Amino acid sequence: MASGIKVDEKCCHMWELFHKGTISDATTPGEKEEREHHLQNVLRSHPKESDHADGSDTDSSGDEDEDTQKKTKAKRPRIMTMRVSDDLKTIVLEKNKFNIAMKHDDKLQDTDRCIAKLKKRLTQGSSNSAKRPRWIIVYFDFLTDVDSRPTGKEIMIKWCPDSSSIKQKMYLSSSTAGLCSALKDFKGTTVQCDCIDDLDDILKSLRKGTLK
C-alpha cells in the first residue's frame, strides 16, 4: 500500500461483523463468546463525531442510528466506511454515523433506508468531510429486473469526490488493493463513485445484471 500505510484492526473487526455477522474463527463456545465481547467493546469504543476535533462535522439530521445508542449488541452493518487517517499512515474506520447497521426485516426496504442515510451523511457536515475520499462497503439487497429474483451482493465503493485533493485521490487509488487483501475473504466488486448520482447507478446496474 501507499508509503507503507497499514490497516487498523478496527476495520478488520468491522469487516468480520459485516461479512459474516458473527465471530467465525472461535473453536469453543467460550472462545466465541470472549471474541464477540471483545468485538463489541472495540466497536462501541469507536469515537462518535463529537469526539473528533472537526466538531463541525456532525450529523445535523438528528437521526443517529438507534443501534449506536442502545449499545446492547454489535449489530451486523449493511454499510461500513473507512478512510485514510489525517497523518496518512493508517486506514481507519470512519465515525459511527458512516457505519450503518441492518435494522429492518424487509431487506429491500432496509437497503433503501441505509443508502438514503449514506447519501445524507456524505453531503452534510463540514467541507473537509464532504471532499474526503472513503472506502464504503455496502451489502445491497435487490430484485433482478429480469425475473424479480431476490439477490444480495457486497460492493466496495471507492468514494472520491471531484473536490478531493490530488494527494487524497492518490492514496485512495494506491491503497485499495492492499485494503482488500487485509479484509479476510473479501471478494466483492469494487467500483468508483465521484458523486451521489453514481450511488443510484450502482443499484440500477445490479438490478439489470450489468455489474458483476
Side-chain angles (χ1 to χ4, degrees), residues 9-207:
E9 68 171 4
K10 289 184 181 180
C11 297
C12 298
H13 288 317
M14 181 67 87
W15 165 250
E16 189 169 7
L17 186 61
F18 178 98
H19 185 55
K20 298 179 178 177
T22 185
I23 300 298
S24 58
D25 296 334
T27 57
T28 66
E31 183 180 356
K32 180 176 180 179
E33 182 178 353
E34 182 179 349
R35 291 196 63 200
E36 287 277 9
H37 181 71
H38 172 68
L39 171 62
Q40 291 170 19
N41 284 339
V42 167
L43 298 183
R44 289 169 188 167
S45 67
H46 186 58
K48 294 182 180 180
E49 50 269 30
S50 59
D51 294 329
H52 287 253
D54 185 8
S56 60
D57 187 14
T58 58
D59 183 7
S60 59
S61 64
D63 62 347
E64 184 69 30
D65 288 331
E66 292 177 5
D67 51 273
T68 63
Q69 296 177 353
K70 292 181 179 178
K71 309 301 183 185
T72 55
K73 185 177 181 181
K75 293 185 178 181
R76 185 177 186 180
R78 181 173 293 280
I79 298 175
M80 64 171 287
T81 307
M82 298 159 287
R83 66 176 179 87
V84 175
S85 61
D86 294 338
D87 62 8
L88 304 178
K89 293 181 178 180
T90 309
I91 295 175
V92 297
L93 196 63
E94 256 288 15
K95 53 187 69 170
N96 282 338
K97 69 177 184 176
F98 287 101
N99 297 291
I100 305 172
M102 295 182 178
K103 186 180 293 187
H104 298 162
D105 292 334
D106 186 326
K107 296 178 180 180
L108 302 180
Q109 181 183 2
D110 195 59
T111 296
D112 291 341
R113 176 189 69 86
C114 291
I115 293 299
K117 281 182 177 289
L118 177 63
K119 290 179 180 179
K120 192 173 187 178
R121 291 166 184 180
L122 285 172
T123 55
Q124 291 186 349
S126 69
S127 58
N128 285 337
S129 177
K131 64 185 180 182
R132 178 180 292 149
R134 296 175 169 97
W135 294 273
I136 306 169
I137 306 180
V138 182
Y139 191 87
F140 286 91
D141 279 294
F142 60 98
L143 298 178
T144 57
D145 285 346
V146 175
D147 53 8
S148 297
R149 176 171 49 89
T151 308
K153 190 173 180 63
E154 294 170 357
I155 301 291
M156 176 183 278
I157 299 168
K158 295 193 297 180
W159 176 254
C160 191
D162 291 335
S163 56
S164 300
S165 69
I166 294 177
K167 179 179 286 188
Q168 287 176 319
K169 292 177 180 179
M170 178 192 72
Y171 270 84
L172 184 80
S173 176
S174 61
S175 301
T176 298
L179 173 60
C180 291
S181 297
L183 302 178
K184 185 178 179 180
D185 298 327
F186 177 79
K187 297 180 175 66
T189 301
T190 301
V191 298
Q192 181 158 330
C193 291
D194 302 323
C195 63
I196 292 297
D197 289 342
D198 290 344
L199 294 175
D200 294 323
D201 292 339
I202 291 176
L203 193 51
K204 292 176 183 178
S205 297
L206 285 171
R207 288 169 176 160

